[in-house]
PDB file of all heavy atoms in Angstrom:
ATOM      1  N   LYS I   1      11.748  26.665  -1.193  1.00  0.00           N
ATOM      2  CA  LYS I   1      11.298  25.535  -2.013  1.00  0.00           C
ATOM      3  C   LYS I   1      11.603  24.262  -1.303  1.00  0.00           C
ATOM      4  O   LYS I   1      10.754  23.339  -1.256  1.00  0.00           O
ATOM      5  CB  LYS I   1      12.017  25.576  -3.363  1.00  0.00           C
ATOM      6  CG  LYS I   1      11.524  26.652  -4.313  1.00  0.00           C
ATOM      7  CD  LYS I   1      12.276  26.604  -5.613  1.00  0.00           C
ATOM      8  CE  LYS I   1      11.893  27.791  -6.479  1.00  0.00           C
ATOM      9  NZ  LYS I   1      12.655  27.851  -7.721  1.00  0.00           N
ATOM     10  N   ARG I   2      12.820  24.139  -0.672  1.00  0.00           N
ATOM     11  CA  ARG I   2      13.144  22.910   0.066  1.00  0.00           C
ATOM     12  C   ARG I   2      12.225  22.698   1.183  1.00  0.00           C
ATOM     13  O   ARG I   2      11.792  21.584   1.522  1.00  0.00           O
ATOM     14  CB  ARG I   2      14.549  23.012   0.593  1.00  0.00           C
ATOM     15  CG  ARG I   2      15.593  22.604  -0.433  1.00  0.00           C
ATOM     16  CD  ARG I   2      16.934  22.343   0.246  1.00  0.00           C
ATOM     17  NE  ARG I   2      17.197  23.325   1.332  1.00  0.00           N
ATOM     18  CZ  ARG I   2      18.133  24.257   1.259  1.00  0.00           C
ATOM     19  NH1 ARG I   2      18.979  24.312   0.267  1.00  0.00           N
ATOM     20  NH2 ARG I   2      18.284  25.150   2.234  1.00  0.00           N
ATOM     21  N   ARG I   3      11.884  23.808   1.950  1.00  0.00           N
ATOM     22  CA  ARG I   3      10.936  23.674   3.068  1.00  0.00           C
ATOM     23  C   ARG I   3       9.568  23.278   2.648  1.00  0.00           C
ATOM     24  O   ARG I   3       8.947  22.420   3.309  1.00  0.00           O
ATOM     25  CB  ARG I   3      10.916  24.988   3.822  1.00  0.00           C
ATOM     26  CG  ARG I   3      12.128  25.360   4.655  1.00  0.00           C
ATOM     27  CD  ARG I   3      11.998  26.742   5.183  1.00  0.00           C
ATOM     28  NE  ARG I   3      13.230  27.167   5.797  1.00  0.00           N
ATOM     29  CZ  ARG I   3      13.433  27.236   7.102  1.00  0.00           C
ATOM     30  NH1 ARG I   3      12.458  26.924   7.974  1.00  0.00           N
ATOM     31  NH2 ARG I   3      14.576  27.643   7.563  1.00  0.00           N
ATOM     32  N   LEU I   4       9.134  23.797   1.507  1.00  0.00           N
ATOM     33  CA  LEU I   4       7.792  23.449   1.002  1.00  0.00           C
ATOM     34  C   LEU I   4       7.756  21.932   0.597  1.00  0.00           C
ATOM     35  O   LEU I   4       6.772  21.259   0.912  1.00  0.00           O
ATOM     36  CB  LEU I   4       7.446  24.310  -0.191  1.00  0.00           C
ATOM     37  CG  LEU I   4       6.092  23.998  -0.861  1.00  0.00           C
ATOM     38  CD1 LEU I   4       4.955  24.236   0.094  1.00  0.00           C
ATOM     39  CD2 LEU I   4       5.925  24.856  -2.104  1.00  0.00           C
ATOM     40  N   GLU I   5       8.777  21.499  -0.105  1.00  0.00           N
ATOM     41  CA  GLU I   5       8.852  20.062  -0.495  1.00  0.00           C
ATOM     42  C   GLU I   5       8.907  19.180   0.742  1.00  0.00           C
ATOM     43  O   GLU I   5       8.246  18.117   0.771  1.00  0.00           O
ATOM     44  CB  GLU I   5      10.052  19.830  -1.364  1.00  0.00           C
ATOM     45  CG  GLU I   5      10.199  18.357  -1.786  1.00  0.00           C
ATOM     46  CD  GLU I   5       8.944  17.800  -2.394  1.00  0.00           C
ATOM     47  OE1 GLU I   5       8.229  18.405  -3.148  1.00  0.00           O
ATOM     48  OE2 GLU I   5       8.698  16.543  -2.180  1.00  0.00           O
ATOM     49  N   TYR I   6       9.631  19.619   1.723  1.00  0.00           N
ATOM     50  CA  TYR I   6       9.764  18.816   2.994  1.00  0.00           C
ATOM     51  C   TYR I   6       8.360  18.738   3.643  1.00  0.00           C
ATOM     52  O   TYR I   6       7.924  17.677   4.090  1.00  0.00           O
ATOM     53  CB  TYR I   6      10.760  19.455   3.956  1.00  0.00           C
ATOM     54  CG  TYR I   6      10.847  18.669   5.235  1.00  0.00           C
ATOM     55  CD1 TYR I   6      11.515  17.485   5.310  1.00  0.00           C
ATOM     56  CD2 TYR I   6      10.247  19.195   6.407  1.00  0.00           C
ATOM     57  CE1 TYR I   6      11.592  16.782   6.505  1.00  0.00           C
ATOM     58  CE2 TYR I   6      10.356  18.528   7.614  1.00  0.00           C
ATOM     59  CZ  TYR I   6      11.045  17.335   7.669  1.00  0.00           C
ATOM     60  OH  TYR I   6      11.110  16.659   8.835  1.00  0.00           O
ATOM     61  N   ARG I   7       7.678  19.848   3.745  1.00  0.00           N
ATOM     62  CA  ARG I   7       6.278  19.841   4.319  1.00  0.00           C
ATOM     63  C   ARG I   7       5.367  18.946   3.559  1.00  0.00           C
ATOM     64  O   ARG I   7       4.577  18.215   4.108  1.00  0.00           O
ATOM     65  CB  ARG I   7       5.734  21.266   4.370  1.00  0.00           C
ATOM     66  CG  ARG I   7       6.238  22.093   5.589  1.00  0.00           C
ATOM     67  CD  ARG I   7       5.374  23.314   5.761  1.00  0.00           C
ATOM     68  NE  ARG I   7       5.408  24.236   4.583  1.00  0.00           N
ATOM     69  CZ  ARG I   7       6.287  25.224   4.403  1.00  0.00           C
ATOM     70  NH1 ARG I   7       7.237  25.393   5.310  1.00  0.00           N
ATOM     71  NH2 ARG I   7       6.257  25.946   3.343  1.00  0.00           N
ATOM     72  N   ASN I   8       5.440  19.000   2.230  1.00  0.00           N
ATOM     73  CA  ASN I   8       4.573  18.110   1.392  1.00  0.00           C
ATOM     74  C   ASN I   8       4.958  16.653   1.627  1.00  0.00           C
ATOM     75  O   ASN I   8       4.051  15.795   1.671  1.00  0.00           O
ATOM     76  CB  ASN I   8       4.740  18.498  -0.109  1.00  0.00           C
ATOM     77  CG  ASN I   8       4.108  19.851  -0.377  1.00  0.00           C
ATOM     78  OD1 ASN I   8       3.266  20.370   0.348  1.00  0.00           O
ATOM     79  ND2 ASN I   8       4.534  20.397  -1.485  1.00  0.00           N
ATOM     80  N   GLN I   9       6.223  16.351   1.732  1.00  0.00           N
ATOM     81  CA  GLN I   9       6.656  14.962   1.925  1.00  0.00           C
ATOM     82  C   GLN I   9       6.132  14.458   3.328  1.00  0.00           C
ATOM     83  O   GLN I   9       5.685  13.336   3.451  1.00  0.00           O
ATOM     84  CB  GLN I   9       8.151  14.908   1.911  1.00  0.00           C
ATOM     85  CG  GLN I   9       8.702  13.494   2.012  1.00  0.00           C
ATOM     86  CD  GLN I   9      10.214  13.472   1.959  1.00  0.00           C
ATOM     87  OE1 GLN I   9      10.885  14.496   1.963  1.00  0.00           O
ATOM     88  NE2 GLN I   9      10.794  12.298   1.871  1.00  0.00           N
ATOM     89  N   VAL I  10       6.258  15.310   4.331  1.00  0.00           N
ATOM     90  CA  VAL I  10       5.744  14.918   5.640  1.00  0.00           C
ATOM     91  C   VAL I  10       4.263  14.675   5.636  1.00  0.00           C
ATOM     92  O   VAL I  10       3.754  13.711   6.198  1.00  0.00           O
ATOM     93  CB  VAL I  10       6.135  15.997   6.690  1.00  0.00           C
ATOM     94  CG1 VAL I  10       5.474  15.716   7.983  1.00  0.00           C
ATOM     95  CG2 VAL I  10       7.658  15.929   6.928  1.00  0.00           C
ATOM     96  N   GLN I  11       3.564  15.525   4.895  1.00  0.00           N
ATOM     97  CA  GLN I  11       2.123  15.414   4.799  1.00  0.00           C
ATOM     98  C   GLN I  11       1.743  14.113   4.073  1.00  0.00           C
ATOM     99  O   GLN I  11       0.832  13.374   4.511  1.00  0.00           O
ATOM    100  CB  GLN I  11       1.545  16.633   4.022  1.00  0.00           C
ATOM    101  CG  GLN I  11       0.016  16.669   4.024  1.00  0.00           C
ATOM    102  CD  GLN I  11      -0.455  17.962   3.314  1.00  0.00           C
ATOM    103  OE1 GLN I  11       0.198  18.484   2.420  1.00  0.00           O
ATOM    104  NE2 GLN I  11      -1.573  18.420   3.742  1.00  0.00           N
ATOM    105  N   ARG I  12       2.471  13.767   3.014  1.00  0.00           N
ATOM    106  CA  ARG I  12       2.198  12.546   2.272  1.00  0.00           C
ATOM    107  C   ARG I  12       2.466  11.307   3.146  1.00  0.00           C
ATOM    108  O   ARG I  12       1.667  10.335   3.195  1.00  0.00           O
ATOM    109  CB  ARG I  12       3.087  12.370   1.093  1.00  0.00           C
ATOM    110  CG  ARG I  12       2.539  12.917  -0.181  1.00  0.00           C
ATOM    111  CD  ARG I  12       3.269  12.534  -1.435  1.00  0.00           C
ATOM    112  NE  ARG I  12       4.757  12.650  -1.333  1.00  0.00           N
ATOM    113  CZ  ARG I  12       5.431  13.761  -1.609  1.00  0.00           C
ATOM    114  NH1 ARG I  12       4.859  14.830  -1.926  1.00  0.00           N
ATOM    115  NH2 ARG I  12       6.767  13.775  -1.464  1.00  0.00           N
ATOM    116  N   LEU I  13       3.582  11.344   3.913  1.00  0.00           N
ATOM    117  CA  LEU I  13       3.881  10.213   4.796  1.00  0.00           C
ATOM    118  C   LEU I  13       2.864  10.085   5.906  1.00  0.00           C
ATOM    119  O   LEU I  13       2.459   8.952   6.309  1.00  0.00           O
ATOM    120  CB  LEU I  13       5.294  10.350   5.355  1.00  0.00           C
ATOM    121  CG  LEU I  13       6.399  10.207   4.399  1.00  0.00           C
ATOM    122  CD1 LEU I  13       7.745  10.485   5.036  1.00  0.00           C
ATOM    123  CD2 LEU I  13       6.414   8.747   3.880  1.00  0.00           C
ATOM    124  N   ASP I  14       2.404  11.216   6.449  1.00  0.00           N
ATOM    125  CA  ASP I  14       1.402  11.172   7.492  1.00  0.00           C
ATOM    126  C   ASP I  14       0.087  10.553   6.974  1.00  0.00           C
ATOM    127  O   ASP I  14      -0.526   9.692   7.614  1.00  0.00           O
ATOM    128  CB  ASP I  14       1.083  12.569   8.029  1.00  0.00           C
ATOM    129  CG  ASP I  14       0.082  12.619   9.155  1.00  0.00           C
ATOM    130  OD1 ASP I  14       0.256  11.897  10.129  1.00  0.00           O
ATOM    131  OD2 ASP I  14      -0.879  13.370   9.028  1.00  0.00           O
ATOM    132  N   THR I  15      -0.278  10.960   5.758  1.00  0.00           N
ATOM    133  CA  THR I  15      -1.489  10.394   5.157  1.00  0.00           C
ATOM    134  C   THR I  15      -1.279   8.923   4.864  1.00  0.00           C
ATOM    135  O   THR I  15      -2.228   8.106   5.104  1.00  0.00           O
ATOM    136  CB  THR I  15      -1.821  11.122   3.830  1.00  0.00           C
ATOM    137  OG1 THR I  15      -1.962  12.539   4.096  1.00  0.00           O
ATOM    138  CG2 THR I  15      -3.044  10.574   3.144  1.00  0.00           C
ATOM    139  N   LEU I  16      -0.133   8.532   4.405  1.00  0.00           N
ATOM    140  CA  LEU I  16       0.155   7.138   4.155  1.00  0.00           C
ATOM    141  C   LEU I  16       0.094   6.310   5.413  1.00  0.00           C
ATOM    142  O   LEU I  16      -0.489   5.224   5.439  1.00  0.00           O
ATOM    143  CB  LEU I  16       1.515   6.993   3.500  1.00  0.00           C
ATOM    144  CG  LEU I  16       1.947   5.622   3.003  1.00  0.00           C
ATOM    145  CD1 LEU I  16       1.028   5.154   1.924  1.00  0.00           C
ATOM    146  CD2 LEU I  16       3.357   5.716   2.446  1.00  0.00           C
ATOM    147  N   LEU I  17       0.579   6.874   6.538  1.00  0.00           N
ATOM    148  CA  LEU I  17       0.499   6.097   7.823  1.00  0.00           C
ATOM    149  C   LEU I  17      -0.940   5.959   8.282  1.00  0.00           C
ATOM    150  O   LEU I  17      -1.344   4.964   8.837  1.00  0.00           O
ATOM    151  CB  LEU I  17       1.387   6.806   8.837  1.00  0.00           C
ATOM    152  CG  LEU I  17       2.873   6.639   8.638  1.00  0.00           C
ATOM    153  CD1 LEU I  17       3.673   7.492   9.665  1.00  0.00           C
ATOM    154  CD2 LEU I  17       3.282   5.226   8.655  1.00  0.00           C
ATOM    155  N   LYS I  18      -1.778   7.019   8.021  1.00  0.00           N
ATOM    156  CA  LYS I  18      -3.153   6.908   8.396  1.00  0.00           C
ATOM    157  C   LYS I  18      -3.836   5.820   7.571  1.00  0.00           C
ATOM    158  O   LYS I  18      -4.654   5.041   8.143  1.00  0.00           O
ATOM    159  CB  LYS I  18      -3.899   8.244   8.189  1.00  0.00           C
ATOM    160  CG  LYS I  18      -3.485   9.327   9.223  1.00  0.00           C
ATOM    161  CD  LYS I  18      -4.115  10.615   8.871  1.00  0.00           C
ATOM    162  CE  LYS I  18      -3.666  11.724   9.814  1.00  0.00           C
ATOM    163  NZ  LYS I  18      -4.300  13.053   9.523  1.00  0.00           N
ATOM    164  N   VAL I  19      -3.563   5.773   6.311  1.00  0.00           N
ATOM    165  CA  VAL I  19      -4.160   4.727   5.478  1.00  0.00           C
ATOM    166  C   VAL I  19      -3.673   3.347   5.966  1.00  0.00           C
ATOM    167  O   VAL I  19      -4.467   2.409   6.029  1.00  0.00           O
ATOM    168  CB  VAL I  19      -3.745   4.921   3.972  1.00  0.00           C
ATOM    169  CG1 VAL I  19      -4.017   3.689   3.127  1.00  0.00           C
ATOM    170  CG2 VAL I  19      -4.431   6.123   3.382  1.00  0.00           C
ATOM    171  N   SER I  20      -2.384   3.330   6.345  1.00  0.00           N
ATOM    172  CA  SER I  20      -1.853   2.045   6.818  1.00  0.00           C
ATOM    173  C   SER I  20      -2.606   1.567   8.115  1.00  0.00           C
ATOM    174  O   SER I  20      -2.849   0.370   8.282  1.00  0.00           O
ATOM    175  CB  SER I  20      -0.303   2.222   7.119  1.00  0.00           C
ATOM    176  OG  SER I  20       0.168   1.033   7.728  1.00  0.00           O
ATOM    177  N   ARG I  21      -2.857   2.508   8.982  1.00  0.00           N
ATOM    178  CA  ARG I  21      -3.585   2.129  10.197  1.00  0.00           C
ATOM    179  C   ARG I  21      -5.022   1.662   9.946  1.00  0.00           C
ATOM    180  O   ARG I  21      -5.509   0.714  10.510  1.00  0.00           O
ATOM    181  CB  ARG I  21      -3.659   3.322  11.175  1.00  0.00           C
ATOM    182  CG  ARG I  21      -2.349   3.531  11.964  1.00  0.00           C
ATOM    183  CD  ARG I  21      -2.600   4.474  13.126  1.00  0.00           C
ATOM    184  NE  ARG I  21      -3.002   5.749  12.735  1.00  0.00           N
ATOM    185  CZ  ARG I  21      -2.207   6.809  12.521  1.00  0.00           C
ATOM    186  NH1 ARG I  21      -0.965   6.660  12.713  1.00  0.00           N
ATOM    187  NH2 ARG I  21      -2.716   7.947  12.148  1.00  0.00           N
ATOM    188  N   VAL I  22      -5.676   2.318   9.007  1.00  0.00           N
ATOM    189  CA  VAL I  22      -7.064   1.931   8.683  1.00  0.00           C
ATOM    190  C   VAL I  22      -7.082   0.545   8.015  1.00  0.00           C
ATOM    191  O   VAL I  22      -7.927  -0.279   8.354  1.00  0.00           O
ATOM    192  CB  VAL I  22      -7.711   2.989   7.758  1.00  0.00           C
ATOM    193  CG1 VAL I  22      -9.076   2.543   7.202  1.00  0.00           C
ATOM    194  CG2 VAL I  22      -7.867   4.312   8.465  1.00  0.00           C
ATOM    195  N   LEU I  23      -6.184   0.299   7.079  1.00  0.00           N
ATOM    196  CA  LEU I  23      -6.184  -0.915   6.334  1.00  0.00           C
ATOM    197  C   LEU I  23      -5.361  -2.093   7.024  1.00  0.00           C
ATOM    198  O   LEU I  23      -5.529  -3.209   6.652  1.00  0.00           O
ATOM    199  CB  LEU I  23      -5.654  -0.756   4.943  1.00  0.00           C
ATOM    200  CG  LEU I  23      -6.585   0.061   4.057  1.00  0.00           C
ATOM    201  CD1 LEU I  23      -5.840   0.320   2.663  1.00  0.00           C
ATOM    202  CD2 LEU I  23      -7.933  -0.546   3.794  1.00  0.00           C
ATOM    203  N   GLY I  24      -4.513  -1.683   7.934  1.00  0.00           N
ATOM    204  CA  GLY I  24      -3.658  -2.733   8.600  1.00  0.00           C
ATOM    205  C   GLY I  24      -2.581  -3.210   7.682  1.00  0.00           C
ATOM    206  O   GLY I  24      -2.368  -4.429   7.559  1.00  0.00           O
ATOM    207  N   LEU I  25      -1.865  -2.319   7.048  1.00  0.00           N
ATOM    208  CA  LEU I  25      -0.771  -2.676   6.130  1.00  0.00           C
ATOM    209  C   LEU I  25       0.462  -3.159   6.817  1.00  0.00           C
ATOM    210  O   LEU I  25       0.752  -2.723   7.921  1.00  0.00           O
ATOM    211  CB  LEU I  25      -0.400  -1.478   5.229  1.00  0.00           C
ATOM    212  CG  LEU I  25      -1.504  -0.831   4.399  1.00  0.00           C
ATOM    213  CD1 LEU I  25      -0.983   0.377   3.679  1.00  0.00           C
ATOM    214  CD2 LEU I  25      -2.106  -1.822   3.427  1.00  0.00           C
ATOM    215  N   ASP I  26       1.163  -4.076   6.218  1.00  0.00           N
ATOM    216  CA  ASP I  26       2.463  -4.502   6.730  1.00  0.00           C
ATOM    217  C   ASP I  26       3.549  -3.591   6.076  1.00  0.00           C
ATOM    218  O   ASP I  26       3.257  -2.777   5.261  1.00  0.00           O
ATOM    219  CB  ASP I  26       2.750  -6.000   6.550  1.00  0.00           C
ATOM    220  CG  ASP I  26       2.793  -6.439   5.059  1.00  0.00           C
ATOM    221  OD1 ASP I  26       3.154  -5.535   4.215  1.00  0.00           O
ATOM    222  OD2 ASP I  26       2.546  -7.579   4.756  1.00  0.00           O
ATOM    223  N   SER I  27       4.775  -3.800   6.516  1.00  0.00           N
ATOM    224  CA  SER I  27       5.845  -2.940   6.039  1.00  0.00           C
ATOM    225  C   SER I  27       6.122  -2.984   4.560  1.00  0.00           C
ATOM    226  O   SER I  27       6.390  -1.965   3.870  1.00  0.00           O
ATOM    227  CB  SER I  27       7.145  -3.192   6.796  1.00  0.00           C
ATOM    228  OG  SER I  27       7.537  -4.499   6.607  1.00  0.00           O
ATOM    229  N   GLN I  28       5.979  -4.171   3.957  1.00  0.00           N
ATOM    230  CA  GLN I  28       6.178  -4.304   2.529  1.00  0.00           C
ATOM    231  C   GLN I  28       5.110  -3.567   1.724  1.00  0.00           C
ATOM    232  O   GLN I  28       5.343  -2.879   0.723  1.00  0.00           O
ATOM    233  CB  GLN I  28       6.247  -5.756   2.122  1.00  0.00           C
ATOM    234  CG  GLN I  28       7.517  -6.474   2.637  1.00  0.00           C
ATOM    235  CD  GLN I  28       7.500  -7.952   2.302  1.00  0.00           C
ATOM    236  OE1 GLN I  28       6.463  -8.536   1.976  1.00  0.00           O
ATOM    237  NE2 GLN I  28       8.695  -8.560   2.356  1.00  0.00           N
ATOM    238  N   GLN I  29       3.827  -3.728   2.215  1.00  0.00           N
ATOM    239  CA  GLN I  29       2.754  -3.061   1.510  1.00  0.00           C
ATOM    240  C   GLN I  29       2.923  -1.544   1.644  1.00  0.00           C
ATOM    241  O   GLN I  29       2.668  -0.808   0.737  1.00  0.00           O
ATOM    242  CB  GLN I  29       1.401  -3.510   2.149  1.00  0.00           C
ATOM    243  CG  GLN I  29       1.027  -4.916   1.860  1.00  0.00           C
ATOM    244  CD  GLN I  29      -0.204  -5.300   2.625  1.00  0.00           C
ATOM    245  OE1 GLN I  29      -0.285  -5.070   3.846  1.00  0.00           O
ATOM    246  NE2 GLN I  29      -1.172  -5.963   1.999  1.00  0.00           N
ATOM    247  N   LEU I  30       3.364  -1.129   2.831  1.00  0.00           N
ATOM    248  CA  LEU I  30       3.593   0.289   3.059  1.00  0.00           C
ATOM    249  C   LEU I  30       4.612   0.877   2.117  1.00  0.00           C
ATOM    250  O   LEU I  30       4.447   1.948   1.552  1.00  0.00           O
ATOM    251  CB  LEU I  30       4.004   0.544   4.540  1.00  0.00           C
ATOM    252  CG  LEU I  30       4.044   2.000   5.016  1.00  0.00           C
ATOM    253  CD1 LEU I  30       2.625   2.626   4.930  1.00  0.00           C
ATOM    254  CD2 LEU I  30       4.506   1.993   6.458  1.00  0.00           C
ATOM    255  N   GLN I  31       5.712   0.109   1.881  1.00  0.00           N
ATOM    256  CA  GLN I  31       6.746   0.572   0.955  1.00  0.00           C
ATOM    257  C   GLN I  31       6.223   0.688  -0.513  1.00  0.00           C
ATOM    258  O   GLN I  31       6.474   1.620  -1.201  1.00  0.00           O
ATOM    259  CB  GLN I  31       7.911  -0.344   0.999  1.00  0.00           C
ATOM    260  CG  GLN I  31       8.731  -0.214   2.219  1.00  0.00           C
ATOM    261  CD  GLN I  31       9.903  -1.188   2.266  1.00  0.00           C
ATOM    262  OE1 GLN I  31       9.904  -2.205   1.503  1.00  0.00           O
ATOM    263  NE2 GLN I  31      10.881  -0.962   3.135  1.00  0.00           N
ATOM    264  N   LYS I  32       5.391  -0.291  -0.859  1.00  0.00           N
ATOM    265  CA  LYS I  32       4.817  -0.259  -2.219  1.00  0.00           C
ATOM    266  C   LYS I  32       3.860   0.945  -2.369  1.00  0.00           C
ATOM    267  O   LYS I  32       3.910   1.615  -3.393  1.00  0.00           O
ATOM    268  CB  LYS I  32       4.039  -1.561  -2.511  1.00  0.00           C
ATOM    269  CG  LYS I  32       4.966  -2.747  -2.690  1.00  0.00           C
ATOM    270  CD  LYS I  32       4.119  -3.991  -2.938  1.00  0.00           C
ATOM    271  CE  LYS I  32       4.911  -5.248  -3.065  1.00  0.00           C
ATOM    272  NZ  LYS I  32       4.127  -6.444  -3.286  1.00  0.00           N
ATOM    273  N   LEU I  33       3.076   1.202  -1.365  1.00  0.00           N
ATOM    274  CA  LEU I  33       2.122   2.331  -1.460  1.00  0.00           C
ATOM    275  C   LEU I  33       2.833   3.615  -1.337  1.00  0.00           C
ATOM    276  O   LEU I  33       2.341   4.651  -1.832  1.00  0.00           O
ATOM    277  CB  LEU I  33       1.026   2.231  -0.393  1.00  0.00           C
ATOM    278  CG  LEU I  33      -0.052   1.168  -0.759  1.00  0.00           C
ATOM    279  CD1 LEU I  33      -1.125   1.150   0.330  1.00  0.00           C
ATOM    280  CD2 LEU I  33      -0.662   1.418  -2.086  1.00  0.00           C
ATOM    281  N   GLU I  34       4.012   3.648  -0.644  1.00  0.00           N
ATOM    282  CA  GLU I  34       4.759   4.884  -0.602  1.00  0.00           C
ATOM    283  C   GLU I  34       5.251   5.320  -2.011  1.00  0.00           C
ATOM    284  O   GLU I  34       5.181   6.462  -2.326  1.00  0.00           O
ATOM    285  CB  GLU I  34       5.975   4.709   0.312  1.00  0.00           C
ATOM    286  CG  GLU I  34       6.742   6.019   0.542  1.00  0.00           C
ATOM    287  CD  GLU I  34       7.865   5.900   1.560  1.00  0.00           C
ATOM    288  OE1 GLU I  34       8.015   4.756   2.092  1.00  0.00           O
ATOM    289  OE2 GLU I  34       8.535   6.819   1.738  1.00  0.00           O
ATOM    290  N   ALA I  35       5.602   4.319  -2.791  1.00  0.00           N
ATOM    291  CA  ALA I  35       6.026   4.607  -4.206  1.00  0.00           C
ATOM    292  C   ALA I  35       4.810   5.174  -4.958  1.00  0.00           C
ATOM    293  O   ALA I  35       4.928   6.081  -5.796  1.00  0.00           O
ATOM    294  CB  ALA I  35       6.569   3.368  -4.885  1.00  0.00           C
ATOM    295  N   VAL I  36       3.623   4.582  -4.741  1.00  0.00           N
ATOM    296  CA  VAL I  36       2.449   5.104  -5.444  1.00  0.00           C
ATOM    297  C   VAL I  36       2.153   6.535  -4.962  1.00  0.00           C
ATOM    298  O   VAL I  36       1.815   7.379  -5.754  1.00  0.00           O
ATOM    299  CB  VAL I  36       1.209   4.210  -5.107  1.00  0.00           C
ATOM    300  CG1 VAL I  36      -0.093   4.804  -5.576  1.00  0.00           C
ATOM    301  CG2 VAL I  36       1.402   2.823  -5.707  1.00  0.00           C
ATOM    302  N   ALA I  37       2.280   6.802  -3.643  1.00  0.00           N
ATOM    303  CA  ALA I  37       2.036   8.155  -3.134  1.00  0.00           C
ATOM    304  C   ALA I  37       3.031   9.158  -3.708  1.00  0.00           C
ATOM    305  O   ALA I  37       2.642  10.239  -4.012  1.00  0.00           O
ATOM    306  CB  ALA I  37       2.097   8.165  -1.601  1.00  0.00           C
ATOM    307  N   ASN I  38       4.248   8.767  -3.801  1.00  0.00           N
ATOM    308  CA  ASN I  38       5.260   9.678  -4.351  1.00  0.00           C
ATOM    309  C   ASN I  38       5.076   9.948  -5.848  1.00  0.00           C
ATOM    310  O   ASN I  38       5.481  10.942  -6.357  1.00  0.00           O
ATOM    311  CB  ASN I  38       6.667   9.148  -4.084  1.00  0.00           C
ATOM    312  CG  ASN I  38       7.074   9.193  -2.619  1.00  0.00           C
ATOM    313  OD1 ASN I  38       6.495  10.034  -1.881  1.00  0.00           O
ATOM    314  ND2 ASN I  38       7.926   8.331  -2.182  1.00  0.00           N
ATOM    315  N   ALA I  39       4.467   9.000  -6.557  1.00  0.00           N
ATOM    316  CA  ALA I  39       4.188   9.169  -7.981  1.00  0.00           C
ATOM    317  C   ALA I  39       3.071  10.209  -8.222  1.00  0.00           C
ATOM    318  O   ALA I  39       3.000  10.803  -9.287  1.00  0.00           O
ATOM    319  CB  ALA I  39       3.812   7.828  -8.568  1.00  0.00           C
ATOM    320  N   ASN I  40       2.202  10.286  -7.277  1.00  0.00           N
ATOM    321  CA  ASN I  40       1.042  11.263  -7.405  1.00  0.00           C
ATOM    322  C   ASN I  40       0.891  12.050  -6.115  1.00  0.00           C
ATOM    323  O   ASN I  40      -0.066  11.832  -5.370  1.00  0.00           O
ATOM    324  CB  ASN I  40      -0.226  10.446  -7.729  1.00  0.00           C
ATOM    325  CG  ASN I  40      -1.396  11.362  -7.989  1.00  0.00           C
ATOM    326  OD1 ASN I  40      -1.235  12.628  -8.156  1.00  0.00           O
ATOM    327  ND2 ASN I  40      -2.586  10.828  -7.961  1.00  0.00           N
ATOM    328  N   PRO I  41       1.764  13.002  -5.854  1.00  0.00           N
ATOM    329  CA  PRO I  41       1.748  13.669  -4.602  1.00  0.00           C
ATOM    330  C   PRO I  41       0.483  14.486  -4.291  1.00  0.00           C
ATOM    331  O   PRO I  41      -0.040  14.418  -3.145  1.00  0.00           O
ATOM    332  CB  PRO I  41       2.939  14.681  -4.653  1.00  0.00           C
ATOM    333  CG  PRO I  41       3.862  14.067  -5.670  1.00  0.00           C
ATOM    334  CD  PRO I  41       2.946  13.338  -6.650  1.00  0.00           C
TER     335      PRO I  41
END
């Protein structure tokens, strides 16, 4: 279960970083969107 959650978390962060590259997000925006991503995995 821990391994599965870790894989899902890494996948969410990877997706978030891809979105960040496309939109050109700064670090504060990235933190805000990380909370959004964690709310709806």
Side-chain angles (χ1 to χ4, degrees):
K1 288 178 185 177
R2 278 195 319 246
R3 288 173 189 255
L4 178 63
E5 178 54 37
Y6 178 75
R7 279 194 300 270
N8 291 340
Q9 183 180 11
V10 168
Q11 187 177 31
R12 270 193 314 274
L13 289 174
D14 183 52
T15 302
L16 188 59
L17 289 175
K18 288 177 184 177
V19 167
S20 175
R21 280 193 300 264
V22 172
L23 292 177
L25 301 177
D26 63 25
S27 61
Q28 291 177 341
Q29 291 172 314
L30 190 61
Q31 287 178 344
K32 289 179 182 178
L33 283 181
E34 185 176 359
V36 172
N38 290 334
N40 183 14

